[in-house]
Amino acid sequence: MRKIIHIDMDCFYAAIEMRDNPSLVGKPIAVGGTRERRGVLCTSNYEARKYGVRSAMPTAHALQLCPQLILLPVDMAKYKAVALKIREIFSNYTDIIEPLSLDEAYLDVTHCQQLQGSATKIATAIREQIFKEHQLTASAGIAPNKFLAKVASDWHKPNGQYVITPKQVDEFIVQLPVTKIPGVGKVTAKKMHDMSLHTCADLQKLSLEQLTEQFGLFGQKLFNYCRGIDNREVENLRIRKSVSVEETFINDLTNLTSCMNKLPTLLNQLNQRLQPYTDKIIKNQFIKIKFNNFTQTTAECISSDLNADLYQQLCQIAYQRYQLPVRLLGLGVHFRDKNNAQGHVEQLSLNIA
Ligand code: TTP
Ligand code: MG
Protein backbone atom coordinates (compact mmCIF):
# COMPACT_ATOMS: atom_id res chain seq x y z
CA MET A 1 0.00 0.00 0.00
CA ARG A 2 1.48 3.37 -1.04
CA LYS A 3 1.36 6.66 0.86
CA ILE A 4 1.04 9.65 -1.45
CA ILE A 5 0.85 13.33 -0.51
CA HIS A 6 -0.36 16.00 -2.92
CA ILE A 7 0.68 19.51 -1.92
CA ASP A 8 -0.93 22.56 -3.52
CA MET A 9 0.01 26.09 -2.48
CA ASP A 10 -2.91 28.45 -1.79
CA CYS A 11 -3.35 31.15 -4.47
CA PHE A 12 0.38 30.85 -4.99
CA TYR A 13 1.47 33.90 -7.03
CA ALA A 14 -1.04 36.15 -5.28
CA ALA A 15 -0.01 34.87 -1.85
CA ILE A 16 3.64 35.70 -2.56
CA GLU A 17 2.69 39.22 -3.67
CA MET A 18 0.63 39.79 -0.51
CA ARG A 19 3.43 38.48 1.67
CA ASP A 20 5.85 40.92 0.05
CA ASN A 21 3.45 43.85 0.25
CA PRO A 22 1.18 43.50 3.29
CA SER A 23 -0.86 46.58 2.30
CA LEU A 24 -2.49 44.31 -0.31
CA VAL A 25 -3.91 41.95 2.32
CA GLY A 26 -7.69 42.11 2.51
CA LYS A 27 -7.99 43.73 -0.92
CA PRO A 28 -8.93 41.90 -4.12
CA ILE A 29 -5.77 41.32 -6.12
CA ALA A 30 -4.76 39.36 -9.20
CA VAL A 31 -1.54 38.56 -11.02
CA GLY A 32 -1.54 38.69 -14.80
CA GLY A 33 -1.30 40.70 -18.00
CA THR A 34 -2.91 44.09 -18.43
CA ARG A 35 -6.27 44.82 -20.02
CA GLU A 36 -4.58 47.11 -22.54
CA ARG A 37 -2.42 44.25 -23.76
CA ARG A 38 -5.38 41.85 -23.75
CA GLY A 39 -3.82 39.95 -20.90
CA VAL A 40 -5.27 37.12 -18.84
CA LEU A 41 -5.02 36.39 -15.13
CA CYS A 42 -2.64 33.79 -13.78
CA THR A 43 -4.35 33.78 -10.44
CA SER A 44 -6.18 35.91 -7.89
CA ASN A 45 -6.59 35.95 -4.12
CA TYR A 46 -9.69 34.80 -2.28
CA GLU A 47 -11.09 38.36 -1.93
CA ALA A 48 -11.07 38.64 -5.72
CA ARG A 49 -12.55 35.17 -6.17
CA LYS A 50 -15.64 36.33 -4.24
CA TYR A 51 -16.43 38.45 -7.30
CA GLY A 52 -16.11 35.49 -9.64
CA VAL A 53 -12.58 36.39 -10.74
CA ARG A 54 -10.72 33.24 -11.86
CA SER A 55 -7.37 32.01 -13.26
CA ALA A 56 -7.07 32.19 -17.05
CA MET A 57 -9.85 34.81 -17.22
CA PRO A 58 -9.20 37.79 -19.52
CA THR A 59 -8.16 40.73 -17.38
CA ALA A 60 -10.77 42.94 -19.04
CA HIS A 61 -13.52 40.58 -17.93
CA ALA A 62 -12.13 40.35 -14.40
CA LEU A 63 -12.14 44.14 -14.12
CA GLN A 64 -15.79 44.22 -15.13
CA LEU A 65 -16.64 41.77 -12.37
CA CYS A 66 -14.47 43.58 -9.82
CA PRO A 67 -13.57 47.17 -10.85
CA GLN A 68 -11.43 47.72 -7.74
CA LEU A 69 -9.27 44.69 -8.56
CA ILE A 70 -5.57 45.44 -8.06
CA LEU A 71 -3.62 43.96 -10.95
CA LEU A 72 0.02 43.03 -10.42
CA PRO A 73 2.54 42.04 -13.08
CA VAL A 74 3.83 38.46 -13.25
CA ASP A 75 7.21 38.07 -11.54
CA MET A 76 8.05 34.55 -12.65
CA ALA A 77 11.64 34.63 -11.40
CA LYS A 78 10.41 35.35 -7.89
CA TYR A 79 7.77 32.57 -7.95
CA LYS A 80 10.30 30.08 -9.30
CA ALA A 81 12.78 30.90 -6.55
CA VAL A 82 10.12 30.31 -3.89
CA ALA A 83 9.05 27.07 -5.58
CA LEU A 84 12.60 25.75 -5.48
CA LYS A 85 12.89 26.53 -1.77
CA ILE A 86 9.64 24.71 -1.11
CA ARG A 87 10.88 21.71 -3.04
CA GLU A 88 13.91 21.60 -0.74
CA ILE A 89 11.51 21.17 2.17
CA PHE A 90 9.87 18.19 0.40
CA SER A 91 13.26 16.61 -0.17
CA ASN A 92 13.83 16.40 3.59
CA TYR A 93 11.22 13.64 3.57
CA THR A 94 11.49 11.88 0.22
CA ASP A 95 13.37 11.81 -3.08
CA ILE A 96 10.29 10.78 -4.98
CA ILE A 97 8.85 14.18 -5.88
CA GLU A 98 6.81 14.90 -9.00
CA PRO A 99 6.09 18.61 -9.47
CA LEU A 100 3.02 19.33 -11.60
CA SER A 101 3.58 23.06 -11.82
CA LEU A 102 5.43 25.60 -9.69
CA ASP A 103 3.01 25.27 -6.79
CA GLU A 104 1.85 21.68 -6.90
CA ALA A 105 3.62 18.35 -6.37
CA TYR A 106 3.08 14.70 -5.59
CA LEU A 107 5.29 13.11 -2.96
CA ASP A 108 5.62 9.38 -2.43
CA VAL A 109 6.40 8.97 1.28
CA THR A 110 5.75 5.22 1.45
CA HIS A 111 9.31 4.55 2.63
CA CYS A 112 9.82 7.65 4.74
CA GLN A 113 10.83 6.68 8.30
CA GLN A 114 10.39 10.09 9.92
CA LEU A 115 7.45 11.01 12.19
CA GLN A 116 6.70 7.32 12.74
CA GLY A 117 6.22 6.98 9.00
CA SER A 118 2.88 8.81 9.30
CA ALA A 119 2.04 10.49 5.99
CA THR A 120 -0.46 12.69 7.81
CA LYS A 121 2.19 13.95 10.22
CA ILE A 122 4.65 14.45 7.37
CA ALA A 123 2.11 16.57 5.49
CA THR A 124 1.46 18.66 8.59
CA ALA A 125 5.18 19.12 9.19
CA ILE A 126 5.78 20.18 5.59
CA ARG A 127 2.95 22.72 5.69
CA GLU A 128 4.20 24.09 9.01
CA GLN A 129 7.73 24.45 7.71
CA ILE A 130 6.52 26.20 4.53
CA PHE A 131 4.60 28.65 6.67
CA LYS A 132 7.43 29.22 9.14
CA GLU A 133 10.09 29.79 6.49
CA HIS A 134 8.09 31.49 3.75
CA GLN A 135 4.89 32.84 5.38
CA LEU A 136 2.81 31.04 2.75
CA THR A 137 0.04 28.51 3.28
CA ALA A 138 -0.36 25.19 1.50
CA SER A 139 -3.07 22.55 1.38
CA ALA A 140 -2.39 18.84 1.33
CA GLY A 141 -4.15 15.62 0.46
CA ILE A 142 -2.96 12.28 1.82
CA ALA A 143 -4.14 9.06 0.19
CA PRO A 144 -3.04 5.69 -1.22
CA ASN A 145 -2.74 7.05 -4.78
CA LYS A 146 -2.22 10.21 -6.84
CA PHE A 147 -5.81 10.68 -7.96
CA LEU A 148 -7.23 10.50 -4.43
CA ALA A 149 -4.42 12.64 -2.99
CA LYS A 150 -5.16 15.37 -5.53
CA VAL A 151 -8.87 15.30 -4.81
CA ALA A 152 -8.14 15.35 -1.08
CA SER A 153 -5.85 18.39 -1.21
CA ASP A 154 -8.80 20.41 -2.49
CA TRP A 155 -11.13 19.17 0.27
CA HIS A 156 -10.01 21.48 3.06
CA LYS A 157 -8.42 24.19 0.92
CA PRO A 158 -7.16 26.80 1.82
CA ASN A 159 -4.60 26.03 4.52
CA GLY A 160 -5.99 22.60 5.36
CA GLN A 161 -5.38 18.94 4.76
CA TYR A 162 -7.51 15.86 4.31
CA VAL A 163 -6.67 12.20 4.66
CA ILE A 164 -8.27 9.28 2.85
CA THR A 165 -7.02 6.06 4.43
CA PRO A 166 -7.13 2.83 2.40
CA LYS A 167 -10.12 1.72 4.48
CA GLN A 168 -12.03 4.95 3.75
CA VAL A 169 -11.57 4.83 -0.03
CA ASP A 170 -14.80 3.00 -0.92
CA GLU A 171 -16.93 5.14 1.36
CA PHE A 172 -15.29 8.37 0.13
CA ILE A 173 -15.48 7.59 -3.54
CA VAL A 174 -19.17 6.77 -3.82
CA GLN A 175 -20.22 10.25 -2.74
CA LEU A 176 -17.57 12.09 -4.77
CA PRO A 177 -19.20 14.46 -7.29
CA VAL A 178 -17.98 13.83 -10.86
CA THR A 179 -16.95 17.50 -11.08
CA LYS A 180 -14.18 16.82 -8.55
CA ILE A 181 -12.45 14.33 -10.85
CA PRO A 182 -9.34 15.92 -12.40
CA GLY A 183 -9.88 16.07 -16.16
CA VAL A 184 -13.64 16.53 -15.92
CA GLY A 185 -14.08 20.07 -17.19
CA LYS A 186 -17.25 22.00 -17.92
CA VAL A 187 -18.11 20.15 -21.12
CA THR A 188 -17.63 16.64 -19.71
CA ALA A 189 -19.48 17.60 -16.52
CA LYS A 190 -22.47 18.82 -18.55
CA LYS A 191 -22.50 15.64 -20.59
CA MET A 192 -22.40 13.56 -17.42
CA HIS A 193 -25.18 15.54 -15.81
CA ASP A 194 -27.29 15.15 -18.93
CA MET A 195 -26.80 11.40 -18.52
CA SER A 196 -27.80 11.67 -14.81
CA LEU A 197 -24.26 10.83 -13.74
CA HIS A 198 -23.62 12.99 -10.68
CA THR A 199 -21.36 10.98 -8.39
CA CYS A 200 -18.71 8.27 -8.71
CA ALA A 201 -21.36 5.81 -7.53
CA ASP A 202 -23.33 6.69 -10.69
CA LEU A 203 -20.23 6.21 -12.85
CA GLN A 204 -19.58 2.80 -11.28
CA LYS A 205 -22.81 1.55 -12.82
CA LEU A 206 -21.37 1.94 -16.33
CA SER A 207 -19.20 -0.74 -17.91
CA LEU A 208 -15.73 -0.02 -19.29
CA GLU A 209 -17.17 -0.28 -22.79
CA GLN A 210 -19.94 2.21 -22.02
CA LEU A 211 -17.48 4.67 -20.50
CA THR A 212 -15.04 4.53 -23.43
CA GLU A 213 -17.90 4.77 -25.88
CA GLN A 214 -19.10 7.95 -24.20
CA PHE A 215 -15.83 9.56 -23.09
CA GLY A 216 -13.18 8.13 -25.38
CA LEU A 217 -9.82 7.25 -23.89
CA PHE A 218 -10.64 9.21 -20.76
CA GLY A 219 -13.32 6.56 -20.15
CA GLN A 220 -10.60 4.07 -19.17
CA LYS A 221 -9.29 6.43 -16.52
CA LEU A 222 -12.82 7.17 -15.34
CA PHE A 223 -13.49 3.45 -14.92
CA ASN A 224 -10.62 3.24 -12.42
CA TYR A 225 -10.99 6.67 -10.82
CA CYS A 226 -14.66 6.16 -9.96
CA ARG A 227 -13.54 3.08 -7.99
CA GLY A 228 -10.74 5.02 -6.27
CA ILE A 229 -8.10 3.15 -8.30
CA ASP A 230 -5.01 4.86 -9.77
CA ASN A 231 -1.83 2.88 -10.35
CA ARG A 232 0.28 5.72 -11.74
CA GLU A 233 3.68 6.03 -10.08
CA VAL A 234 4.93 9.31 -8.65
CA GLU A 235 7.52 10.15 -11.30
CA ASN A 236 10.68 11.60 -9.98
CA LEU A 237 11.65 15.01 -11.33
CA ARG A 238 15.20 13.97 -12.10
CA ILE A 239 14.46 10.90 -14.15
CA ARG A 240 11.71 12.43 -16.21
CA LYS A 241 12.50 12.22 -19.91
CA SER A 242 9.50 14.00 -21.34
CA VAL A 243 6.54 16.18 -20.43
CA SER A 244 3.31 16.27 -22.38
CA VAL A 245 -0.30 17.33 -22.16
CA GLU A 246 -3.22 15.98 -24.11
CA GLU A 247 -6.93 16.39 -24.46
CA THR A 248 -9.58 13.93 -25.56
CA PHE A 249 -12.47 15.76 -27.13
CA ILE A 250 -16.09 15.02 -26.44
CA ASN A 251 -16.86 15.83 -30.05
CA ASP A 252 -14.23 14.84 -32.61
CA LEU A 253 -12.44 17.71 -34.35
CA THR A 254 -13.51 17.43 -37.95
CA ASN A 255 -10.82 19.39 -39.78
CA LEU A 256 -7.31 20.76 -39.58
CA THR A 257 -8.46 24.26 -38.63
CA SER A 258 -10.26 23.01 -35.52
CA CYS A 259 -7.12 21.10 -34.54
CA MET A 260 -4.99 24.21 -35.05
CA ASN A 261 -7.42 26.23 -32.91
CA LYS A 262 -6.81 23.88 -29.98
CA LEU A 263 -3.04 24.35 -30.06
CA PRO A 264 -2.74 27.65 -28.11
CA THR A 265 -4.60 26.25 -25.06
CA LEU A 266 -2.60 23.04 -25.09
CA LEU A 267 0.64 24.98 -25.49
CA ASN A 268 -0.28 27.14 -22.52
CA GLN A 269 -0.90 24.03 -20.41
CA LEU A 270 2.37 22.52 -21.56
CA ASN A 271 4.17 25.70 -20.64
CA GLN A 272 2.81 25.47 -17.12
CA ARG A 273 3.67 21.80 -16.80
CA LEU A 274 7.23 22.64 -17.85
CA GLN A 275 7.84 25.30 -15.24
CA PRO A 276 9.45 22.97 -12.70
CA TYR A 277 11.91 21.67 -15.29
CA THR A 278 13.95 24.77 -16.01
CA ASP A 279 17.20 22.88 -15.45
CA LYS A 280 16.37 20.38 -18.18
CA ILE A 281 17.28 20.94 -21.82
CA ILE A 282 14.60 20.33 -24.39
CA LYS A 283 15.70 18.02 -27.19
CA ASN A 284 12.65 17.95 -29.40
CA GLN A 285 8.99 18.75 -29.48
CA PHE A 286 6.27 16.38 -30.62
CA ILE A 287 2.60 16.19 -31.39
CA LYS A 288 0.33 13.20 -31.02
CA ILE A 289 -2.95 12.78 -32.85
CA LYS A 290 -5.44 10.01 -32.32
CA PHE A 291 -8.10 9.71 -35.00
CA ASN A 292 -11.62 8.45 -34.55
CA ASN A 293 -10.66 5.00 -35.88
CA PHE A 294 -8.13 4.86 -32.98
CA THR A 295 -5.15 5.17 -35.31
CA GLN A 296 -2.46 7.13 -33.54
CA THR A 297 0.30 9.10 -35.19
CA THR A 298 3.09 11.31 -33.90
CA ALA A 299 5.32 13.89 -35.53
CA GLU A 300 8.38 15.39 -33.92
CA CYS A 301 11.16 17.79 -34.69
CA ILE A 302 14.37 18.97 -33.11
CA SER A 303 13.84 22.07 -31.02
CA SER A 304 15.33 23.59 -27.89
CA ASP A 305 12.27 25.46 -26.70
CA LEU A 306 8.50 25.55 -27.16
CA ASN A 307 7.96 26.88 -30.63
CA ALA A 308 4.31 27.53 -31.48
CA ASP A 309 4.98 27.68 -35.24
CA LEU A 310 6.68 24.30 -35.17
CA TYR A 311 3.73 22.77 -33.35
CA GLN A 312 1.49 24.10 -36.10
CA GLN A 313 3.68 22.54 -38.77
CA LEU A 314 3.78 19.24 -36.89
CA CYS A 315 0.01 19.32 -36.52
CA GLN A 316 -0.40 19.82 -40.22
CA ILE A 317 1.98 16.97 -41.07
CA ALA A 318 0.40 14.53 -38.62
CA TYR A 319 -3.16 15.44 -39.63
CA GLN A 320 -2.50 15.06 -43.37
CA ARG A 321 -1.54 11.42 -42.89
CA TYR A 322 -5.10 10.24 -42.29
CA GLN A 323 -7.37 13.30 -42.50
CA LEU A 324 -9.99 11.67 -40.29
CA PRO A 325 -11.93 13.22 -37.41
CA VAL A 326 -9.60 13.71 -34.43
CA ARG A 327 -10.48 12.44 -30.95
CA LEU A 328 -7.27 13.33 -29.13
CA LEU A 329 -4.52 15.92 -29.48
CA GLY A 330 -1.34 15.94 -27.43
CA LEU A 331 1.70 18.21 -27.30
CA GLY A 332 4.96 17.42 -25.61
CA VAL A 333 8.72 17.70 -25.40
CA HIS A 334 11.53 15.21 -24.85
CA PHE A 335 14.47 16.26 -22.71
CA ARG A 336 18.11 15.64 -23.43
CA ASP A 337 20.02 13.15 -21.30
CA LYS A 338 22.07 14.88 -18.61
CA ASN A 339 25.18 13.05 -19.89
CA ASN A 340 25.17 14.68 -23.26
CA ALA A 341 23.63 17.97 -22.24
CA GLN A 342 26.47 20.13 -23.56
CA GLY A 343 26.28 21.72 -26.99
CA HIS A 344 23.33 23.49 -28.49
CA VAL A 345 20.84 22.31 -31.02
CA GLU A 346 20.88 24.59 -33.97
CA GLN A 347 19.24 22.39 -36.49
CA LEU A 348 15.50 22.78 -36.80
CA SER A 349 14.84 20.19 -39.43
CA LEU A 350 11.55 18.38 -39.32
CA ASN A 351 11.94 14.73 -38.55
CA ILE A 352 8.75 12.85 -39.12
CA ALA A 353 8.29 9.83 -36.93
P1 TTP B 1 -3.48 26.83 -9.00
O1 TTP B 1 -3.00 25.90 -7.94
O2 TTP B 1 -4.52 26.38 -9.96
O3 TTP B 1 -4.04 28.15 -8.33
P2 TTP B 1 -3.61 28.90 -7.05
O4 TTP B 1 -2.46 28.26 -6.34
O5 TTP B 1 -3.39 30.33 -7.44
O6 TTP B 1 -4.92 28.85 -6.17
P3 TTP B 1 -5.52 27.67 -5.26
O7 TTP B 1 -5.52 28.24 -3.89
O8 TTP B 1 -6.88 27.43 -5.79
O9 TTP B 1 -4.58 26.51 -5.41
O10 TTP B 1 -2.27 27.38 -9.86
C1 TTP B 1 -1.00 27.64 -9.28
C2 TTP B 1 -0.32 28.82 -9.92
O11 TTP B 1 -0.16 28.58 -11.32
C3 TTP B 1 -1.12 30.10 -9.81
O12 TTP B 1 -0.82 30.83 -8.64
C4 TTP B 1 -0.78 30.83 -11.06
C5 TTP B 1 -0.39 29.77 -12.05
N1 TTP B 1 -1.48 29.56 -13.05
C6 TTP B 1 -1.39 30.24 -14.27
O13 TTP B 1 -0.42 30.94 -14.52
N2 TTP B 1 -2.41 30.08 -15.18
C7 TTP B 1 -3.51 29.28 -14.94
O14 TTP B 1 -4.41 29.17 -15.79
C8 TTP B 1 -3.58 28.59 -13.67
C9 TTP B 1 -4.75 27.71 -13.35
C10 TTP B 1 -2.55 28.76 -12.77
MG1 MG C 1 -2.45 26.24 -5.84
Side-chain angles (χ1 to χ4, degrees), residues 44-293:
S44 58
N45 65 356
Y46 289 98
E47 278 74 14
R49 290 183 199 187
K50 286 181 202 151
Y51 295 85
V53 170
R54 295 281 175 270
S55 302
M57 182 180 268
T59 304
H61 184 198
L63 284 166
Q64 278 170 359
L65 295 173
C66 178
Q68 69 275 41
L69 184 71
I70 300 171
L71 182 72
L72 303 162
V74 186
D75 186 347
M76 204 46 92
K78 178 156 80 170
Y79 314 143
K80 273 187 186 159
V82 178
L84 282 177
K85 290 280 179 198
I86 290 170
R87 206 173 306 146
E88 276 173 30
I89 298 178
F90 300 158
S91 62
N92 292 333
Y93 297 91
T94 180
D95 284 334
I96 313 174
I97 301 167
E98 178 182 342
L100 290 178
S101 62
L102 281 188
D103 91 319
E104 225 182 301
Y106 290 113
L107 279 54
D108 186 331
V109 295
T110 312
H111 302 293
C112 178
Q113 307 282 321
Q114 294 164 74
L115 302 169
Q116 299 93 45
S118 158
T120 307
K121 287 184 185 163
I122 293 169
T124 308
I126 288 174
R127 292 177 43 243
E128 282 175 0
Q129 195 175 344
I130 293 174
F131 188 74
K132 204 167 128 215
E133 293 177 9
H134 303 284
Q135 298 80 52
L136 295 169
T137 63
S139 298
I142 302 104
N145 63 48
K146 293 204 310 193
F147 158 63
L148 290 169
K150 186 163 169 93
V151 171
S153 71
D154 209 36
W155 221 246
H156 284 170
K157 197 172 214 354
N159 198 16
Q161 65 184 51
Y162 189 78
V163 190
I164 305 170
T165 64
K167 271 192 195 145
Q168 292 164 343
V169 172
D170 290 345
E171 192 187 334
F172 178 85
I173 203 73
V174 289
Q175 52 77 49
L176 186 72
V178 292
T179 48
K180 296 282 182 186
I181 301 175
V184 175
K186 268 192 210 142
V187 181
T188 313
K190 165 132 190 3
K191 178 164 176 171
M192 288 179 173
H193 287 164
D194 290 347
M195 295 168 69
S196 295
L197 301 168
H198 301 284
T199 63
C200 283
D202 297 332
L203 286 178
Q204 285 181 10
K205 292 183 196 129
L206 300 191
S207 67
L208 178 60
E209 289 69 30
Q210 286 170 315
L211 284 169
T212 45
E213 199 182 317
Q214 292 296 331
F215 304 103
L217 274 187
F218 187 50
Q220 290 172 13
K221 283 188 185 161
L222 282 174
F223 184 81
N224 285 329
Y225 286 174
C226 74
R227 290 168 173 77
I229 299 170
D230 177 11
N231 295 320
R232 289 173 303 159
E233 299 283 325
V234 175
E235 288 188 50
N236 196 313
L237 176 76
R238 264 168 301 208
I239 60 170
R240 187 175 269 279
K241 293 194 171 65
S242 66
V243 168
S244 61
V245 295
E246 60 183 43
E247 188 174 344
T248 306
F249 305 103
I250 297 284
N251 299 311
D252 294 343
L253 307 176
T254 48
N255 54 39
L256 179 60
T257 313
S258 350
C259 294
M260 295 291 225
N261 288 342
K262 294 287 178 189
L263 296 181
T265 315
L266 283 166
L267 191 58
N268 184 36
Q269 287 172 9
L270 181 61
N271 220 338
Q272 250 190 286
R273 286 280 282 120
L274 276 171
Q275 282 170 5
Y277 300 95
T278 38
D279 55 336
K280 296 251 188 198
I281 299 173
I282 294 175
K283 182 172 68 176
N284 62 28
Q285 58 183 69
F286 62 89
I287 195 159
K288 175 167 111 183
I289 297 188
K290 188 161 285 188
F291 295 96
N292 73 341
N293 66 352

Side-chain angles (χ1 to χ4, degrees), residues 8-12 103 157:
D8 189 335
M9 301 297 295
D10 302 323
C11 44
F12 189 49
D103 91 319
K157 197 172 214 354

